[in-house]
């Protein structure tokens, strides 16, 4: 049932207590904070675990140790690529300068430039790809996440706006990973999530490669008691649990998934033996911990939250007084928001399911009495929710502040002043951007008024409001690579001077193709969506070769953004149909959950149904169909080739899973925890996972296949491609493997991206036959 939107609000009696196993304390002696700087209060002292080092919980990622790097200063622009993009903007407090990611030098790096144009500079000239950027509220530091070697073992760094003072805050240890969180409101500390390094006993040891004498048909199952405490079929096959405990007095029998704190003197919860067991076995399943780190290095890191066997963890906001912290945690499809009271030993005062997608799920008001959230709790589509809190962080009332019918809220951003919010709505893959006024904390009036912006391109990928007013947004579209626009003046987008013009953001000599939306019905009646790209100069009444391209996730969504790969294929005379099969986002919670359990067999059939649909429309030649995809799309590619061996002439599987058992063995611990909720438990659902694995039907493979993988991929290890290619060759099926150096699960370097798309297009052209064209530059 949806949340009540009437004037009658829901009010709750407190019934929760502190969550077990949470800690909020310094990891070592902490000097006093400088005047005016935020320093979380220390938690009451507790006796150390006899089996653990003092001050360190079992399984929790150890406190990060900062590493100072050589100063390089701001670097003049190098020789730039003719075709490049800019994205992920973050402005300084004045809005006069913007830090962002740009691949002008061939790899995504940290850049900064004046908002009103002028020359931009590289702030970190190292070749490690940058993935996230955040300018501190006091303007003194720029934090960013980088991926050494292009892999998943990322680290968090800071640098001053002039390019000096560069240092690694977390993730410098071998095998460790760190992810960017939010700044405190005064900019004195940065929240960082740290994963247990692979050097810890039982943790993942990194991507491997299949020995030449290995038997790809013998999967290795994960072991350890931590797995046996997972939910198995209850999580995988039952309808998703969207609430925590029954509630009284709700309209129309609705359940609101909230957890409020216990009152003074109330008994704590009953012992959670399963949770305690998982915590004790943390070294076998990995752990995540969120720390507050002083970039100046004057105070020791302080742990906010730690969880053994965690699937994800992100600190999204910290209130102005530093007492309350908003976290996002949980596996894919089961994310939730937690409000943490740092003054009460890390007690969780409120929790609510939230949607997958962008990790920045919400923000607290200036006085921490209202929490704004992007959530799909008890809903098909994510909306803007307003949670009114008491002085202890307990929920008083919860209601929908802004929603659209059959349209999810895609991105939410709130500036420090809290007078308005930025909302980006996902309309079947395209974006609609609007700003809405926010009422005062204790006001009962609804949000509004609404102001919408006419966008020059289809998709908003990031919104960066300026604390003193103003807005920068990263836009992408089917006709250009991503760029950054200034929406400060009247909410009318103006391209920044250092973002490439439309003409310079597309490959020369080849007109960009604009896709058209396409809907088709699966064999069981479920309606699917997607985008169809027609090769230029194709005879409109004559069917031609067509590539079915499948996105990853599976919770991702096909968006109408510029794809160099698609344009490479289009330039060779091949059409591209990029569908959203069941499990994709953007079409409602039921659609996302439709591939759980045995529903994944239906997702494999969706690929065949999409191919049949474009044939029935007369677009595609039934004798010249191919299938291709990356990550989960790579898995679907392999699965489609062995479940529908006579349908496709060839396939290209990129970073795909060929055997779900060996995938669980080789992936990162936190990825395995999240994937178990999506695919199945590697112990209890072993038979189902075996049946869903392409390797279990490798004897059905008929079509030539090419596999592509990054050598440093620890999300889906390269062994997944290697064993599929080897098994295909042993059965006499043509198969090739392209391994990209210095890449992980994402291909981030311009030379590797060019090599990948040309090799894939060459393979398709070889096996499908098509017209000739000049390769894209």
């Amino acid at each position: 049932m949806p949340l009540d939107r009437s004037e009658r609000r829901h009010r709750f009696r407190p019934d929760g207590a502190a969550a077990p196993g949470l800690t909020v304390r310094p990891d070592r002696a902490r000097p006093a904070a400088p005047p005016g700087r935020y320093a979380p209060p220390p938690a009451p002292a507790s006796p150390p675990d006899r089996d653990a080092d003092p001050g360190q919980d079992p399984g929790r990622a150890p406190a990060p140790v900062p590493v100072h790097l050589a100063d390089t200063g701001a670097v003049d622009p190098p020789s730039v690529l003719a075709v490049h993009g800019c994205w992920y903007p973050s402005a300084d407090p004045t809005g006069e300068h913007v830090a962002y990611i740009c691949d002008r030098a061939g790899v995504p790096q940290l850049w900064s430039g004046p908002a009103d144009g002028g020359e931009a500079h590289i702030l970190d000239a190292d070749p490690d790809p940058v993935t996230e950027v955040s300018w501190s509220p006091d303007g003194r530091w720029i934090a960013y996440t980088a991926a050494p070697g292009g892999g998943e073992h990322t680290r968090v760094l800071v640098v001053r706006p002039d390019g000096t003072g560069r240092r690694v805050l977390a993730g410098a240890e071998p095998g460790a990973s760190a992810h960017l969180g939010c700044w405190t409101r005064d900019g004195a500390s940065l929240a960082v999530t740290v994963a247990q390094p692979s050097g810890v006993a039982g943790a993942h040891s990194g991507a491997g490669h299949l020995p030449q004498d290995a038997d790809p048909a013998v999967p290795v199952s994960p072991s350890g008691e931590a797995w046996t405490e997972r939910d198995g079929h209850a999580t995988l096959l039952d309808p998703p649990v969207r609430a925590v405990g029954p509630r009284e007095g709700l309209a129309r029998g609705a359940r609101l998934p909230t957890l409020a704190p216990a009152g003074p003197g109330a008994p704590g919860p009953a012992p959670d033996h399963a949770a305690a067991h998982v915590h004790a076995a943390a070294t076998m399943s990995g752990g995540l911990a969120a720390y507050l780190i002083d970039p100046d290095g004057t105070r020791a890191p302080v742990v906010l939250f730690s969880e053994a066997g965690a699937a994800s963890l992100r600190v999204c906001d910290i209130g102005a007084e530093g007492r309350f912290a908003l976290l996002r945690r949980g596996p894919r499809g089961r994310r939730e928001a937690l409000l943490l009271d740092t003054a009460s030993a890390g007690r969780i005062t409120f929790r609510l399911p939230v949607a997958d997608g962008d990790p920045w799920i919400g923000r607290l008001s200036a006085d921490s009495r209202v929490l704004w959230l992007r959530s799909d709790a008890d809903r098909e589509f994510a909306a803007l929710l307003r949670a009114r809190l008491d002085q202890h962080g307990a929920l008083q009332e919860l209601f929908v502040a802004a929603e659209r019918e059959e349209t999810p809220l895609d991105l939410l951003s709130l500036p420090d002043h809290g007078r308005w919010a930025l909302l980006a709505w996902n309309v079947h893959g395209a974006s609609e951007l609007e700003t809405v006024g926010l009422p005062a904390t204790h006001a009962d009036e609804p949000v509004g008024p609404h102001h919408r912006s006419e966008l020059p391109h289809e998709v908003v990928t990031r919104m960066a409001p300026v604390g003193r007013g103003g807005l920068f947004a990263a836009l992408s579209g089917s006709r250009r690579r991503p760029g950054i626009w200034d929406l400060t003046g009247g909410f009318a987008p103006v391209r920044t001077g250092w973002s490439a013009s439309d003409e310079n953001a597309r490959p020369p000599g080849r007109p960009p193709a604009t896709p058209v939306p396409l809907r088709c019905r699966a064999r069981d009646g479920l309606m699917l969506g997607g985008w169809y790209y027609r090769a230029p100069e194709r005879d409109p009444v004559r069917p031609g070769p067509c590539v079915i391209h499948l996105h990853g996730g599976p919770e991702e969504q096909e968006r109408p953004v510029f794809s160099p790969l698609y344009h490479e294929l289009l330039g060779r005379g091949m059409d591209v149909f990029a569908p959203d099969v069941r499990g994709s986002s953007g079409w409602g919670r039921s659609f996302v959950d439709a591939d759980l359990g045995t529903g994944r067999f239906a997702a494999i059939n969706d690929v065949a149904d999409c191919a049949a649909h474009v044939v029935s429309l007369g677009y595609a030649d039934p004798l010249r169909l191919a299938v291709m995809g990356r990550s989960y799309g790579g898995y679907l590619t392999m699965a489609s080739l062995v479940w529908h061996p006579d349908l496709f002439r060839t396939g290209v599987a990129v970073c795909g899973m060929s055997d779900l058992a060996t995938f669980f063995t080789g992936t990162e611990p936190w990825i395995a925890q999240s994937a178990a909720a999506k695919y199945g438990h590697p112990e209890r659902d072993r038979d189902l996972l075996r049946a869903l694995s392409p390797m279990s039907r490798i004897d059905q493979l008929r079509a030539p296949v090419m596999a592509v993988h990054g050598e440093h991929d620890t999300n889906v290890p390269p062994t997944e491609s290697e064993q599929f290619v080897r098994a295909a060759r042993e059965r006499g099926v043509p198969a090739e493997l392209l391994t990209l150096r210095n890449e992980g699960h994402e291909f981030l370097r311009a030379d590797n991206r060019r090599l990948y798309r040309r090799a894939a297009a060459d393979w398709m052209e070889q096996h499908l036959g098509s017209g000739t064209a000049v390769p894209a530059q």
Side-chain angles (χ1 to χ4, degrees):
M1 296 287 291
L3 302 180
D4 185 14
R5 298 159 190 78
S6 65
E7 291 301 314
R8 183 167 63 88
R9 314 289 198 247
H10 302 313
R11 303 182 186 276
F12 302 96
R13 297 193 302 271
D15 64 352
L22 304 184
T23 57
V24 181
R25 65 169 183 265
D27 260 40
R28 58 182 184 270
R30 176 170 56 96
R37 294 295 177 85
Y38 164 71
S46 58
D49 190 304
R50 298 186 181 208
D51 298 324
D53 293 335
Q56 182 67 47
D57 289 344
R60 192 180 77 213
V65 178
V67 176
H68 292 258
L69 303 175
D71 279 346
T72 58
V75 180
D76 289 334
S79 300
V80 299
L81 295 176
V83 180
H84 63 271
C86 301
W87 62 95
Y88 217 104
S90 184
D92 73 357
T94 67
E96 296 176 357
H97 290 80
V98 181
Y100 58 96
I101 301 173
C102 185
D103 61 357
R104 294 174 68 182
V107 63
Q109 292 174 304
L110 178 65
W111 288 65
S112 177
D116 57 358
E119 193 62 76
H121 299 275
I122 294 180
L123 296 181
D124 186 341
D126 284 352
D128 298 332
V130 174
T131 58
E132 293 180 305
V133 181
S134 180
W135 207 310
S136 67
D138 61 6
R140 298 189 309 116
W141 292 99
I142 300 171
Y144 56 107
T145 303
E152 280 61 59
H153 289 270
T154 54
R155 58 185 187 175
V156 173
L157 303 92
V158 291
V159 67
R160 296 193 184 278
D162 62 358
T164 63
R166 189 168 59 105
R167 63 195 65 175
V168 181
L169 290 188
E173 300 84 359
S177 296
H179 306 277
L180 191 64
C182 68
W183 289 94
T184 55
R185 299 291 176 98
D186 60 4
S189 297
L190 176 69
V192 175
T193 297
V194 181
Q196 189 179 62
S198 60
V200 176
H204 178 69
S205 60
H209 296 271
L210 193 68
Q212 292 298 312
D213 57 352
D215 182 0
V218 182
V220 180
S221 296
S223 60
E225 293 178 315
W227 282 117
T228 65
E229 298 297 338
R230 303 284 302 173
D231 290 336
H233 287 284
T235 294
L236 180 66
L237 299 178
D238 286 354
V241 178
R242 307 303 293 166
V244 180
R247 299 290 170 193
E248 298 179 3
L250 301 186
R252 299 186 298 277
R255 295 183 302 158
L256 290 182
T258 59
L259 176 64
D272 188 341
H273 298 292
H277 188 73
V278 172
H279 186 75
T283 55
M284 306 196 71
S285 60
L288 297 176
Y291 286 88
L292 277 180
I293 303 178
D294 172 18
D296 293 313
T298 61
R299 289 174 285 122
V302 177
V303 64
L304 277 176
F305 184 100
S306 64
E307 182 180 4
S312 68
L313 182 62
R314 171 93 62 159
V315 183
C316 298
D317 190 30
I318 297 174
E321 299 300 323
R323 177 177 176 181
F324 297 106
L326 173 65
L327 285 74
R328 190 198 73 156
R329 65 162 300 279
R332 292 151 50 185
R334 304 293 181 268
R335 311 286 193 196
E336 64 177 353
L338 301 181
L339 189 63
L340 198 70
D341 185 353
T342 66
S344 299
R347 182 174 61 174
I348 295 174
T349 66
F350 169 65
R351 69 197 308 159
L352 188 80
V354 293
D356 283 319
D358 186 69
W360 304 103
I361 56 174
R363 210 156 189 236
L364 289 156
S365 62
D367 60 0
S368 297
R369 297 298 296 273
V370 172
L371 176 60
W372 300 95
L373 283 172
R374 181 183 65 87
S375 171
D376 61 354
D378 287 326
R379 306 173 53 80
E380 274 292 309
F381 297 91
L384 176 63
L385 302 188
R386 182 187 185 192
R388 186 176 293 176
L389 311 171
D390 66 16
Q391 68 270 26
H392 304 294
L395 180 67
Q396 290 183 310
E397 54 187 1
L398 176 69
F399 55 95
V400 174
E403 64 177 339
R404 290 194 185 184
E405 185 177 357
E406 297 189 356
T407 301
L409 179 60
D410 202 28
L411 300 173
L412 168 65
S413 187
L414 293 90
D416 287 341
H417 56 67
R419 296 190 301 271
W420 42 266
L422 291 157
L423 311 178
W425 300 93
N426 182 335
V427 184
H428 296 168
S431 297
E432 291 187 4
L433 180 63
E434 68 177 355
T435 179
V436 297
L438 301 180
T441 299
H442 299 288
D444 289 331
E445 65 265 19
V447 300
H450 298 246
H451 298 284
R452 297 185 181 180
S453 173
E454 295 296 327
L455 300 176
H457 300 284
E458 291 98 323
V459 180
V460 179
T461 62
R462 178 75 175 164
M463 301 182 296
V466 180
R468 300 180 183 178
L471 168 67
F472 294 90
L475 304 180
S476 188
S478 59
R479 302 184 65 83
R480 64 158 292 139
R481 291 176 187 256
I484 298 173
W485 270 255
D486 186 350
L487 284 79
T488 300
F491 211 44
V494 177
R495 183 178 56 82
T496 55
W498 26 262
S499 284
S501 64
D502 287 355
E503 293 74 18
N504 291 332
R506 62 177 68 125
R510 181 175 298 167
T514 300
V516 295
L518 191 62
R519 304 296 301 272
C520 64
R521 194 174 296 278
R523 64 190 65 184
D524 62 359
L526 184 65
M527 186 62 72
L528 311 175
W531 297 86
Y532 197 90
Y533 296 77
R534 191 75 168 176
E537 301 180 1
R538 166 70 54 75
D539 186 341
V541 298
R542 183 176 181 180
C546 180
V547 178
I548 308 296
H549 188 275
L550 307 164
H551 63 67
E555 308 92 332
E556 294 177 15
Q557 182 187 10
E558 188 65 34
R559 312 292 294 266
V561 297
F562 185 85
S563 170
L565 170 65
Y566 293 177
H567 284 79
E568 185 76 42
L569 296 170
L570 295 169
R572 309 287 186 100
M574 291 172 269
D575 289 358
V576 176
F577 180 36
D580 289 322
V581 301
R582 69 191 68 204
S584 306
S585 62
W587 304 96
R589 169 56 60 183
S590 297
F591 193 89
V592 172
D593 290 339
D595 67 344
L596 296 182
T598 56
R600 201 159 309 283
F601 292 110
I604 298 171
N605 286 334
D606 286 348
V607 181
D609 294 341
C610 289
H613 183 68
V614 294
V615 168
S616 68
L617 293 176
Y619 296 168
D621 183 343
L623 300 180
R624 291 195 289 172
L625 291 170
V627 62
M628 179 180 183
R630 194 194 68 82
S631 191
Y632 177 74
Y635 159 80
L636 277 185
T637 296
M638 298 180 194
S640 299
L641 291 175
V642 298
W643 260 271
H644 305 283
D646 299 321
L647 179 61
F648 298 105
R649 289 278 296 274
T650 189
V652 176
V654 184
C655 300
M657 304 164 292
S658 61
D659 189 304
L660 293 172
T662 56
F663 159 72
F664 274 109
T665 301
T667 190
E668 301 284 357
W670 64 92
I671 295 176
Q673 295 286 355
S674 194
K678 198 67 185 176
Y679 304 124
H681 187 285
E683 293 288 347
R684 298 182 181 179
D685 297 324
R686 187 180 306 173
D687 292 341
L688 174 62
L689 295 182
R690 182 182 299 112
L692 285 167
S693 295
M695 287 296 294
S696 68
R697 295 175 58 92
I698 192 67
D699 59 321
Q700 298 297 310
L701 183 65
R702 302 286 184 271
V705 62
M706 179 183 188
V708 185
H709 226 110
E711 67 168 338
H712 299 313
D713 190 350
T714 60
N715 183 329
V716 178
T719 50
E720 295 300 305
S721 288
E722 292 168 3
Q723 64 191 3
F724 194 80
V725 167
R726 175 169 299 176
R729 290 174 175 173
E730 290 174 351
R731 288 157 177 80
V733 178
E736 297 293 339
L737 173 62
L738 172 62
T739 298
L740 297 179
R741 305 302 177 189
N742 292 316
E743 299 286 7
H745 198 59
E746 304 280 349
F747 304 155
L748 301 175
R749 304 177 189 277
D751 54 347
N752 281 329
R753 294 198 305 267
R754 186 182 304 111
L755 171 62
Y756 153 59
R757 65 175 181 263
R758 289 184 178 178
D762 287 345
W763 181 269
M764 293 292 188
E765 197 171 29
Q766 174 186 349
H767 294 282
L768 291 185
S770 60
T772 59
V774 177
Q777 300 300 314

